[in-house]
Structure formats: structure tokens, C-alpha cells
Amino acid sequence: MTDPKPERSSAALRVRALETRLLDIPLVRPHRFSVTTMHTQGVLLIRLVTEDGTVGWGEGVVPGGPWWGGESVEGMAALVERHLAPLVIGQDVLRPEALARRLESMAAGAPFARAGVEMAVWDAAGRALGVPVHQLLGGILRNRLPVTWALGSEAPDVAVEEARRLLAEGRHRSFKLKMGALAVEEDVARVSAIADALDGAAPLSVDLNGAWDEYTARRWLPALAEAGIRMAEQPIPAAHVSGLARLREQVPIALMADESLRTPADALRLAAAHAVDVVAIKIGKSGGLSAVRRIADVAEAAGLGCYGGTAIETSLGTAASAHLFCATAAVSSGTELFGPLLLEDDIVTAPVTYQKGELLLPSGPGFGMTIDEEKVAKYERR
Ligand code: MG
């Protein structure tokens, strides 16, 4: 295939340099998953500069370590500096789609690292043209996104107190409970107690991060449905697509795929198997905005709802998700873009804004975020 001649290719917009910095940002409270607890979030901050001095920013984050997908911020730093930066240097930032595919073909796996680099390319493209990234993606279909709050694997009284406070303050309208850190019966009792105490005040879902096997899910998901839980995210491991399909027939609760959906081919497989009702889409796990668009197209064609997921990004990565999700019709099932609210501090001068349980789409060129150098220096790992 010959390279198409781009409409506007100038030497000025070729990438001159790409640098990374490793940050650690404390959380407002520990965030407990089935297998690990986060106290700080590592962020690989990526700065891209073009020949004419246009700067684009991206971030690589994973949800608290390599347990989710094998990548870590430390591993990403090495991969980006040693292998991905040379693939991007000399390339035109106005061709993010071509750059995404170049990264995809030259770095197998490593989606979170590729996503961070691709994010910097989109940001630079928007800044170079003086337009927000959502315009490069076809323009907005919405300008705000509902944001669910994750309650972590807390004890019932702690979780209920937190949920009641957030509801009273009008900050969130729905909650997701992390499960899988406790013995099954104890965990189901804990979630049922929370649902009981909240008594329908807000829609509740659970995320098991693949902690159960199919039998356990068949046995216990009905109890969660009975307690009023509306949706179960990834109850069984990522590879068990046929198991998800059987559960979907057998249990009276909506199912969402997260770990089972990383690539467009995964989306097609889940759709063909009628395995789930909703899929969680995330820039990080799928290697960038470009791949998420392809996934969303498959999901939309298959009639699957898309839920905008998070790997607990700062305002930078959250803004990138907001631009993408506001410009993607299939994102009809809400989001969990609460990263900046779980972090004690941010790395931009004006963090993203939340209003009555919704994230507002930031304005301005690129992702509309300005990096705060003082904050970056404060949280940089030494
Ligand atoms: Mg999940």
C-alpha cells in the first residue's frame, strides 16, 4: 500500500521529541480491588514536541499495577522511551490514525503504553490546528457524561456513609461496588447490606474483575439481582466468553464485559456470542482513541451499549476520554470517569469540571488541559 498524500503535511508538524516522566499521585482514600489496594496512582506523563514547538500531552496509567493487564507505569516508561518514541519521531501529528496503526503493528500488546503516546499525538494535532480533539473525531453528540462513583470493596457502613454523602451533596447518582476481595458469601452479604441500606436511592452495579468461576456466578448472581443490583461487570475471567453467554441466559441481571473486551475482534466475538448486554470501553486497555472508535462501531452495529470506563486517570486522561465519548454515539450507558475525584491532586492548572453527577466536556484546543509544571515537579518520582 502506498502512503496517501496528506492534505496538510508540513515538516513543522513532524514530531521532534517525546519525553516521559513518572509521577505518583496520592488517592483521597485507599481504593480496593479484588486482588490489590491502591494508595497512590502512578502516572506516566508523556510530552511530545513537534518541529515548530507544538506540544501534545498524553498519560499512561493502569488501575493500580500489573494485575489488570500485565502493564505497569515502570514497564511503560521503558517501552515508550526505548521503542515507541523512535516510531513516532519524524512522523506527522496530523495523522493520528496512521500513527496509531504504526504503533499497533510495531508493538504487540502494550495497549496502555501505546494509548499514552497516541493521546499525546491527538492532543498535539488539536493544538496545531487550534481545535478541540472532539472536532477531529467528527464533533460532539453530547457535551456532558453521567459519572458513576466506585465505592471500592469497603465495609457496608463505610460504603453506605460514602454513598449517602455523595447523593446528598448531589455529586453522584449511581454507584459501582467492587467485589471479589472477600469470600463469596461474605461479599454477597456485604453488597446486599449496602443495597438494602440505600434502598433504591441510586442504581447499583458490581464489578468482580473476573474473580468468580462460572458455577459461583450462576449460584450467586441471582442473589445480587434479588438485592437490587442492576448489572454485574466481568463476573468471570476474561477468556470465558461462552461462560458469559450462558450466564446471560441463566441469570436475571445485566452483564457487562470489561477485561473480556480489549480489541475490536473481542467486541465482535462478544457480540457474536451474545455474551453481554454492555461493554466497557477504555482508551488505555485498547491502545488509544482510534481503536476505541473501531470497538464502538462494532458494539453499535451489534446493539450493545457502551460504558465509558476508567483506569483512574488524571484530568488529562479523563479529558481525552471525555472528548472521545462525547463524539461517539454508542456511549449510551454512562461512564465512570471519576479518576480526578479519587486523586488527591491533579497535574493540570484547571482540572475537569463535574456538575450534578456529570462530567462536563472541556473546551479549548487539543484536550483543553494545561499541564501544571509545579504539580508535575511535586509528584515526580525521585
Ligand atoms: Mg472493570
Side-chain angles (χ1 to χ4, degrees):
M1 194 181 93
T2 55
D3 264 6
K5 206 173 173 60
E7 296 269 320
R8 175 188 162 189
S9 174
S10 72
L13 289 174
R14 291 187 185 278
V15 179
R16 185 176 73 213
L18 192 137
E19 303 150 3
T20 68
R21 290 164 87 177
L22 204 45
L23 320 177
D24 292 297
I25 304 178
L27 266 51
V28 293
R29 62 144 165 77
H31 195 56
R32 199 167 167 208
F33 295 95
S34 57
V35 297
T36 190
T37 300
M38 280 176 78
H39 298 275
T40 60
Q41 173 64 313
V43 176
L44 183 73
L45 183 63
I46 298 168
R47 179 177 183 265
L48 174 159
V49 193
T50 64
E51 292 293 348
D52 73 352
T54 302
V55 173
W57 296 92
E59 72 175 23
V61 296
V62 296
W67 68 280
W68 200 95
E71 290 180 86
S72 62
V73 283
E74 296 82 6
M76 283 193 271
L79 185 74
V80 170
E81 282 168 23
R82 184 93 187 188
H83 298 283
L84 303 189
L87 295 173
V88 172
I89 288 169
Q91 304 293 314
D92 183 349
V93 295
L94 294 189
R95 299 175 66 200
E97 182 69 33
L99 263 163
R101 285 164 191 272
R102 181 175 167 86
L103 292 170
E104 205 171 305
S105 63
M106 303 288 282
F112 287 91
R114 286 191 278 113
V117 174
E118 200 216 82
M119 203 182 285
V121 173
W122 282 103
D123 190 39
R127 286 164 189 273
L129 298 172
V131 299
V133 169
H134 65 71
Q135 258 181 42
L136 304 178
L137 298 170
I140 57 168
L141 296 149
R142 54 183 81 82
N143 62 8
R144 46 180 64 215
L145 298 158
V147 178
T148 292
W149 179 250
L151 289 166
S153 295
E154 314 298 333
D157 52 333
V158 177
V160 168
E161 195 276 325
E162 189 174 325
R164 283 203 179 123
R165 178 173 49 78
L166 292 168
L167 283 169
E169 292 169 359
R171 286 173 58 194
H172 293 281
R173 298 179 197 148
S174 62
F175 301 100
K176 161 166 148 178
L177 299 152
K178 284 289 189 183
M179 291 186 79
L182 302 175
V184 177
E185 276 184 66
E186 194 186 341
D187 216 7
V188 171
R190 176 185 68 91
V191 166
S192 303
I194 294 169
D196 244 22
L198 291 176
D199 196 23
L204 299 176
S205 62
V206 295
D207 184 0
L208 284 130
N209 290 110
W212 287 354
D213 58 25
E214 186 179 343
Y215 167 75
T216 305
R218 194 164 60 240
R219 166 81 177 78
W220 290 101
L221 286 178
L224 293 178
E226 183 70 21
I229 303 300
R230 299 201 179 172
M231 180 144 67
E233 179 176 340
Q234 201 68 50
I236 61 175
H240 300 180
V241 171
S242 57
L244 285 171
R246 283 188 290 273
L247 289 171
R248 185 161 177 251
E249 290 291 315
Q250 294 161 346
V251 300
I253 191 167
L255 296 180
M256 171 151 65
D258 183 8
E259 284 88 338
S260 291
L261 173 76
R262 297 170 205 240
T263 66
D266 290 339
L268 189 57
R269 199 171 302 125
L270 288 163
H274 305 287
V276 290
D277 301 284
V278 177
V279 291
I281 55 173
K282 301 176 180 175
I283 291 178
K285 71 173 180 179
S286 297
L289 290 77
S290 156
V292 171
R293 290 299 286 251
R294 281 176 263 152
I295 288 169
D297 285 345
V298 174
E300 187 180 356
L304 286 170
C306 288
Y307 171 81
T310 183
I312 310 180
E313 296 85 2
T314 69
S315 276
L316 174 63
T318 302
S321 295
H323 281 263
L324 174 63
F325 298 159
C326 283
T328 304
V331 188
S332 56
S333 302
T335 78
E336 55 179 20
L337 294 178
F338 56 74
L341 300 171
L342 190 60
L343 299 174
E344 202 175 272
D345 203 352
D346 217 312
I347 56 167
V348 297
T349 54
V352 290
T353 315
Y354 295 86
Q355 203 179 71
K356 294 180 184 162
E358 294 184 314
L359 170 67
L360 308 187
L361 174 68
S363 56
F367 297 126
M369 292 289 117
T370 303
I371 296 297
D372 184 331
E373 286 291 350
E374 272 179 35
K375 292 281 177 68
V376 172
K378 179 176 174 188
Y379 294 110
E380 187 161 12
R381 192 181 291 182
R382 277 165 243 283

